[in-house]
Amino acid sequence: MTPSSCAISLQGIHYAFAGNTVLNALDLKVESGEVVALLGPSGCGKSTLLKLLAGLLQPQRGEIYFGSQRVASANSMLPPEQRDLGMVFQDYALWPHMSVAQNVDFPLRMRKIPLSERQLRVRTALDRVGLTEMANRKPSDLSGGQQQRVALARAIVAGPQILLFDEPLSNLDSELRETLCREIAGLLRQSGTTAVYVTHDRHEAELLADRIVHLSFGAVSAIRTVTSSSGKST
Ligand SMILES: Nc1ncnc2c1ncn2[C@@H]1O[C@H](COP(=O)(O)OP(=O)(O)OP(=O)(O)O)[C@@H](O)[C@H]1O
Ligand SMILES: [Mg+2]
């Protein structure tokens, strides 16, 4: 596969925090529209890998391509806001002083999209996550599951090419996890967005992903294609 034939290509990635190597000669390709779940023991570098993709960290060796565009190497770095991606974190990371609608609107304001289009897109995104009625509430007046839906709406509102998830459901109870996991799987399938989804939960990975990638000792140790009987296409 050439870099341009897939949505994401990581080639020979090396990353160390103050001399402690976390990722070493890591290679991974994600096809356009594919959902890859990233599993691995705590501390193996899953979040570090997502931060490299997001542009929050720069690799010390290797290259990252989105399509045919090189977005990062040891000498070059495209900033996060120019990478056309959305992120959903474990702790929701909502702005506490903004309403639900203002939180979801934030990426559109950053992109200087006209107000009328922003209003329409915010309404559509809130509708897709079932939060239309709560547009004017503050995040503190929502349950954990509802807050994570806001974060999801904010990640998808600008229609990014790539979505990155870092254990988005691990703060929720198991029933809600399953429901939201199925909703995220549906959203990803509907939009055809390429996604990398970090989780500790094999069941979540099976529900969502086309492929499950295991990380250990700083590199990909195994890749498994999820069959249609257990995977998201059921
Ligand atoms: N800012 C930092 N400074 C120094 N070391 C760090 C920093 N962030 C992460 N690390 C270290 O890098 C390694 C990988 O961390 P990372 O957060 O990527 O792991 P993870 O696979 O996401 O773990 P978890 O499953 O617990 O979230 C860990 O040993 C961690 O202690
Ligand atoms: Mg992590």
Side-chain angles (χ1 to χ4, degrees):
M1 233 183 318
T2 61
S4 58
S5 70
C6 42
I8 300 172
S9 174
L10 296 129
Q11 301 176 2
I13 295 298
H14 178 93
Y15 192 85
F17 288 103
N20 290 324
T21 299
V22 177
L23 301 175
N24 195 13
L26 181 137
D27 294 316
L28 179 65
K29 292 187 192 318
V30 183
E31 284 177 43
S32 181
E34 188 182 29
V35 179
V36 162
L38 212 53
L39 287 174
S42 182
C44 75
K46 303 180 297 295
S47 296
T48 302
L49 178 52
L50 280 198
K51 286 175 190 163
L52 286 161
L53 289 173
L56 303 173
L57 295 175
Q58 180 169 11
Q60 285 127 4
R61 286 203 293 274
E63 296 181 322
I64 304 174
Y65 286 84
F66 287 177
S68 58
Q69 183 182 23
R70 189 173 68 180
V71 297
S73 70
N75 315 311
S76 63
M77 178 80 169
L78 195 68
E81 64 275 14
Q82 287 176 29
R83 294 196 181 195
D84 194 17
L85 49 79
M87 271 200 91
V88 183
F89 301 94
Q90 181 175 14
D91 62 358
Y92 323 135
L94 300 174
W95 300 105
H97 60 293
M98 290 184 192
S99 70
V100 165
Q102 286 167 336
N103 265 281
V104 177
D105 185 39
F106 190 75
L108 302 177
R109 271 205 291 143
M110 291 295 99
R111 290 174 197 219
K112 303 201 179 351
I113 291 172
L115 180 63
S116 57
E117 188 183 337
R118 277 166 39 202
Q119 288 171 332
L120 178 66
R121 288 220 215 169
V122 169
R123 268 204 304 277
T124 307
L126 286 177
D127 190 41
R128 286 176 78 182
V129 300
L131 284 183
T132 307
E133 307 295 312
M134 300 185 186
N136 297 319
R137 286 206 202 169
K138 288 276 163 54
S140 56
D141 301 332
L142 299 176
S143 71
Q146 288 164 342
Q147 289 183 53
Q148 197 54 305
R149 284 195 167 92
V150 178
L152 187 58
R154 184 179 59 184
I156 63 172
V157 72
Q161 293 288 317
I162 294 171
L163 281 170
L164 305 175
F165 296 87
D166 198 351
E167 303 195 48
L169 306 180
S170 54
N171 282 343
L172 306 175
D173 67 50
S174 62
E175 203 174 315
L176 190 55
R177 265 209 314 264
E178 170 108 18
T179 309
L180 257 177
C181 184
R182 289 184 187 280
E183 287 177 17
I184 292 172
L187 275 173
L188 291 174
R189 198 164 31 206
Q190 216 177 41
S191 58
T193 312
T194 307
V196 180
Y197 187 104
V198 169
T199 179
H200 278 112
D201 186 326
R202 281 168 193 282
H203 180 57
E204 250 176 53
E206 302 254 343
L207 276 177
L208 271 153
D210 299 302
R211 279 190 303 155
I212 298 177
V213 170
H214 288 262
L215 278 194
S216 63
F217 300 108
V220 172
S221 58
I223 298 183
R224 183 163 69 81
T225 301
V226 178
T227 59
S228 55
S229 59
S230 60
K232 64 176 197 164
S233 51
T234 50

